[in-house]
Amino acid sequence: MPNDNQWYNKSQNGSGQPRKTAPAAGASEKHGVTMQGKSRALSPKAGAKPKAGAKPKVDAKPKAGAKPKVDAKPKADAKPKANVSQQAKAKKSRKFFSGRKKATAESTFTPAAEQTGFVGTNNPNKDVAHKSAQGRAVRNGFLCAVAVIAALLVLVFVVHHLYDYIAEKPSFSFVSTGTVEHTIGAKALIVRDESVINSASAGELVTSITEGSRVANSQELAMVVPPDLESVVSDLRNVQSQISDVQQEIIAGGGVTEADAIYDNFNTNLSTIVDQLRFDSMTGNLSDQASYASSIKVVLDEREEELSGIDFNDERLTALRDDEGVYEAQLENQASKIYADHPGIASFRLDGLENVLTYSSFLQMNINDVKNYIESSAGVISSGLDIEASAPAVRLAQNESQYLTVYLASSDAAVTDFAVGTLHDINVRSQGLSIDDCKVVRCEGDDGGMLITFETSRCVEDLLDLRTVDIEIVISESSGMRVSSSSLVNAEYNDNESKGFAVYFAADSGVAAESYAPGGIFNINIVPEAAVDEAGNPIEQDNVTVGACTVVHSETLADGGCLVTFTSGNDYSGLLKLDKLYANGYTATFIDTSTGFGTTVSDIGVSACDGIASVYSNNQGFVEELRVIVVDHDREFAIIVPAGQAQTPDLDTVIITNPETVKPGDKVD
């Protein structure tokens, strides 16, 4: 390995061999150069040969004119001077190595260590810097950890509050009173006691009354304008429009108080027709536009007739009314008129079945023919103003009664459910009608179901324009405290949606819920206490017996009592009115058919039961669970009563309608 001088000269010259310097004249062959306590040789290697062509130095002759130097005596300790260039290079080399090794007095200069950046460990300053770097690393790591933890806490905070913000909040509602109905939907064919009036001539029908008006015998209903008088009709309507415009202009100027009262009266009639027109337009029914236009014209004509009695004192109106009279006279003389032949409700809408589906013979019509009419008949009866000669133009319906006939599949109901003479309520949702006490006048079955005809005297005018309509027949209904079905929690309903009853045994009765396991079958016998009349004579009272009562559910309530729900195929209506039947008390015996053993109690509470459930109430800001008996329910609502001796829920109870958002004990606002 080259020494330091050789490495330095190599780095200066770029050659692969170290620079060799000849010793100065008179100098010793080796010159010791001390660097940080170490001696390094600067003399050439032993045996080195002089360069080729190099001439040995000979004492040079003095230049011309130069004074010869006198040999100076050397100082006693003077060292022979080296070559100037060699001295300069050696000096430069010493400065270089002196700067490189100033930091450590004892370390050895190592080129590889210098190039790779490795330093010795004996430098105190570098040790301090190293420790300082380690301290900064520890401090930075700690700060990073704190920042990460803080970020996680902020994230948890944001997520928590975001969840609270978007999470569904509990909704509240008071318990209300209402009714739950169970219905069967069907398409009903409507048959009225009606007759038609034919037109004597062909032409355009111009009505003189509004659609659905009650008319008297011999009252003018309409006139039929022949085609050659259509221009006269157009001129008449134009003059009447001008009269209306002039009257409104005068009324707007004030001073005609009688006209304001007339407008107010007729606006009500116009509003009814306009509302019907809007409803048909929204439902896409445009078949009756001509009928509505005719009805509006009749109302406007009646209004103009009353306004004509007012003296507006205007020359324009006088001239226009003269023209109106001329046109009306032409129509009166040449157009044919239609009069009512008996009182009734007039309609200009006809479907051609008025003479087929007659009120007198409909009940005897073949069941298959009636079924075909139910399926094929249009719902709304349309109208047209173009009349053929001898064709029906107006129909007059009696207001006494109408038939609603449906065909029900055998899976929907039984024939016994609609015995002739029974009364049923019918809802017509599309018309917003509820028709009570519709009487069954025909019930006939076939292989697929049954044909049922109801008779009613109500809402004849409301259904006057319909031949068929969708109805709902009410099979059963229950009334009481009503809540939404979605507010029920842990609901257990009777099997196969069968009806049943619930029996409550008081806490002091000694009855345990374990004695009434679900599926057990019991016979129930109620024996009344002896009773006498005012004269002291015994009152004969019948026992109430219900057999084969199947246990659906049993539980012990918070008051210590036992609640058991049953279903039975037998009549249990007597159990629901024990307090009314036996004012002096009774004894109830429940006999387990599997063991023959029975339980006898002196008092029980019985109510109709469709199931058992809970509701969540807001009790002073906290969620409280209340057990209830579900008397009846459908997809929207449920009729409930408190379970056992509890007094709540009642009509003042605030319940939570979305109970899935809370649990008992939660705090709610």
Side-chain angles (χ1 to χ4, degrees):
M1 181 174 179
N3 57 37
D4 289 344
N5 277 348
Q6 291 171 338
W7 177 85
Y8 170 74
N9 292 333
K10 176 182 177 182
S11 64
Q12 293 292 323
N13 296 335
S15 63
Q17 297 297 328
R19 185 190 299 272
K20 298 179 181 179
T21 56
S28 61
E29 188 172 348
K30 293 183 180 179
H31 294 272
V33 180
T34 304
M35 295 181 182
Q36 298 181 357
K38 290 190 179 181
S39 177
R40 300 179 186 249
L42 297 178
S43 59
K45 289 183 179 180
K49 297 180 180 180
K51 292 183 180 180
K55 296 180 180 181
K57 290 188 178 180
V58 185
D59 293 339
K61 296 180 179 181
K63 293 182 181 180
K67 294 181 179 181
K69 292 184 179 180
V70 180
D71 293 336
K73 295 181 180 179
K75 293 180 179 181
D77 56 350
K79 294 182 179 179
K81 292 184 179 181
N83 185 279
V84 177
S85 61
Q86 294 177 352
Q87 291 178 353
K89 291 179 180 179
K91 183 177 182 181
K92 187 174 183 180
S93 177
R94 286 195 298 273
K95 288 183 178 180
F96 174 80
F97 287 109
S98 177
R100 297 283 289 182
K101 297 190 178 284
K102 184 180 290 185
T104 58
E106 297 299 327
S107 61
T108 302
F109 180 84
T110 305
E114 181 68 23
Q115 293 175 4
T116 58
F118 294 127
V119 296
T121 60
N122 296 327
N123 190 337
N125 294 332
K126 291 190 176 182
D127 291 341
V128 173
H130 181 68
K131 292 180 179 180
S132 177
Q134 289 182 336
R136 285 194 301 270
V138 172
R139 183 173 62 255
N140 292 340
F142 176 76
L143 293 177
C144 289
V146 171
V148 171
I149 294 174
L152 291 176
L153 293 176
V154 171
L155 180 61
V156 171
F157 178 82
V158 170
V159 171
H160 174 71
H161 284 272
L162 182 61
Y163 175 79
D164 287 344
Y165 178 77
I166 63 176
E168 185 180 6
K169 301 296 187 297
S171 300
F172 305 95
S173 174
F174 279 103
V175 176
S176 61
T177 58
T179 302
V180 169
E181 296 180 339
H182 296 274
T183 62
I184 299 176
K187 182 180 180 181
L189 178 69
I190 304 175
V191 177
R192 289 167 284 266
D193 185 6
E194 57 191 3
S195 60
V196 297
I197 302 175
N198 297 333
S199 172
S201 60
E204 180 182 354
L205 186 68
V206 178
T207 61
S208 302
I209 60 171
T210 58
E211 175 74 24
S213 298
R214 293 178 178 270
V215 298
N217 186 28
S218 302
Q219 180 178 342
E220 181 181 336
L221 305 179
M223 62 180 175
V224 180
V225 179
D228 56 347
L229 292 180
E230 290 182 358
S231 61
V232 178
V233 175
S234 178
D235 293 338
L236 175 60
R237 290 174 179 173
N238 184 34
V239 170
Q240 290 174 341
S241 177
Q242 294 181 45
I243 292 174
S244 178
D245 293 340
V246 173
Q247 288 176 343
Q248 292 181 14
E249 179 183 344
I250 297 173
I251 293 172
V256 189
T257 56
E258 300 89 346
D260 293 337
I262 293 175
Y263 270 96
D264 291 340
N265 292 334
F266 282 92
N267 282 345
T268 303
N269 297 334
L270 287 173
S271 298
T272 302
I273 300 174
V274 171
D275 290 342
Q276 293 176 350
L277 177 61
R278 288 175 177 170
F279 178 79
D280 285 356
S281 299
M282 289 187 295
T283 56
N285 178 24
L286 303 179
S287 60
D288 300 318
Q289 302 301 306
S291 177
Y292 289 133
S294 178
S295 298
I296 292 175
K297 179 184 177 301
V298 171
V299 174
L300 294 178
D301 290 343
E302 293 176 353
R303 187 183 68 182
E304 293 302 321
E305 183 177 356
E306 291 199 22
L307 289 174
S308 63
I310 301 175
D311 184 10
F312 286 92
N313 194 20
D314 188 271
E315 295 181 357
R316 294 173 297 173
L317 281 180
T318 303
L320 290 172
R321 290 197 184 280
D322 292 341
D323 294 339
E324 181 185 22
V326 173
Y327 295 134
E328 288 178 346
Q330 293 181 13
L331 294 177
E332 289 283 341
N333 296 330
Q334 302 182 42
S336 62
K337 295 184 179 181
I338 300 176
Y339 297 92
D341 56 4
H342 63 274
I345 305 173
S347 174
F348 301 99
R349 302 179 180 183
L350 302 100
D351 61 357
L353 297 178
E354 292 81 11
N355 294 326
V356 177
L357 300 175
T358 60
Y359 197 79
S360 57
S361 62
F362 179 72
L363 294 181
Q364 290 76 38
M365 185 175 288
N366 181 271
I367 183 174
N368 293 323
D369 293 338
V370 177
K371 290 168 57 177
N372 292 334
Y373 283 121
I374 293 175
E375 294 298 326
S376 61
S377 299
V380 179
I381 302 175
S382 60
S383 62
L385 299 181
D386 292 330
I387 304 299
E388 299 293 334
S390 302
V394 185
R395 60 186 172 99
L396 293 178
Q398 300 300 312
N399 194 32
E400 295 180 359
S401 62
Q402 61 184 345
Y403 292 145
L404 301 176
T405 301
V406 299
Y407 182 81
L408 300 179
S410 56
S411 59
D412 293 334
V415 175
T416 54
D417 295 333
F418 297 96
V420 174
T422 58
L423 301 179
H424 299 267
D425 296 340
I426 293 178
N427 298 326
V428 186
R429 300 289 185 183
S430 61
Q431 305 297 317
L433 302 176
S434 179
I435 309 174
D436 299 333
D437 299 332
C438 297
K439 183 180 179 180
V440 177
V441 294
R442 179 182 182 182
C443 182
E444 182 179 350
D446 61 6
D447 295 337
M450 68 203 78
L451 183 73
I452 306 170
T453 300
F454 300 92
E455 183 181 28
T456 179
S457 60
R458 302 182 182 184
C459 303
V460 176
E461 297 179 46
D462 298 299
L463 303 176
L464 184 65
D465 301 332
L466 302 174
R467 178 59 69 186
T468 60
V469 67
D470 292 332
I471 66 172
E472 294 177 354
I473 306 170
V474 179
I475 302 301
S476 63
E477 63 180 6
S478 302
S479 300
M481 289 193 302
R482 191 176 72 173
V483 298
S484 62
S485 296
S486 62
S487 63
L488 299 179
V489 184
N490 301 326
E492 295 184 29
Y493 298 111
N494 297 339
D495 296 337
N496 301 322
E497 298 185 355
S498 57
K499 300 299 180 181
F501 58 94
V503 178
Y504 172 74
F505 301 93
D508 57 0
S509 65
V511 177
E514 292 77 10
S515 302
Y516 294 85
I521 300 177
F522 288 78
N523 294 327
I524 303 175
N525 186 33
I526 308 296
V527 179
E529 298 291 341
V532 295
D533 58 16
E534 295 179 355
N537 299 319
I539 299 176
E540 184 178 353
Q541 303 177 93
D542 295 330
N543 296 351
V544 174
T545 301
V546 183
C549 301
T550 304
V551 177
V552 178
H553 175 84
S554 64
E555 67 173 273
T556 302
L557 300 178
D559 59 10
C562 174
L563 182 67
V564 184
T565 63
F566 297 90
T567 59
S568 177
N570 299 315
D571 181 18
Y572 55 84
S573 59
L575 295 176
L576 303 178
K577 46 187 177 182
L578 293 178
D579 293 335
K580 295 181 179 180
L581 292 176
Y582 310 127
N584 291 339
Y586 55 86
T587 300
T589 303
F590 294 78
I591 300 175
D592 189 344
T593 58
S594 63
T595 62
F597 295 104
T599 302
T600 301
V601 294
S602 59
D603 188 23
I604 57 175
V606 184
S607 65
C609 178
D610 202 15
I612 190 77
S614 296
V615 294
Y616 289 164
S617 69
N618 183 357
N619 185 7
Q620 299 181 352
F622 292 90
V623 178
E624 180 183 14
E625 182 178 3
L626 303 176
R627 294 295 279 172
V628 296
I629 297 172
V630 181
V631 177
D632 199 357
H633 81 287
D634 58 16
R635 289 176 295 180
E636 296 183 78
F637 299 103
I639 303 297
I640 61 172
V641 295
Q645 297 178 342
Q647 302 300 316
T648 54
D650 55 21
L651 296 180
D652 295 327
T653 303
V654 177
I655 63 171
I656 299 173
T657 58
N658 51 347
E660 67 277 1
T661 61
V662 295
K663 61 182 182 298
D666 285 354
K667 182 174 176 57
V668 292
D669 297 329

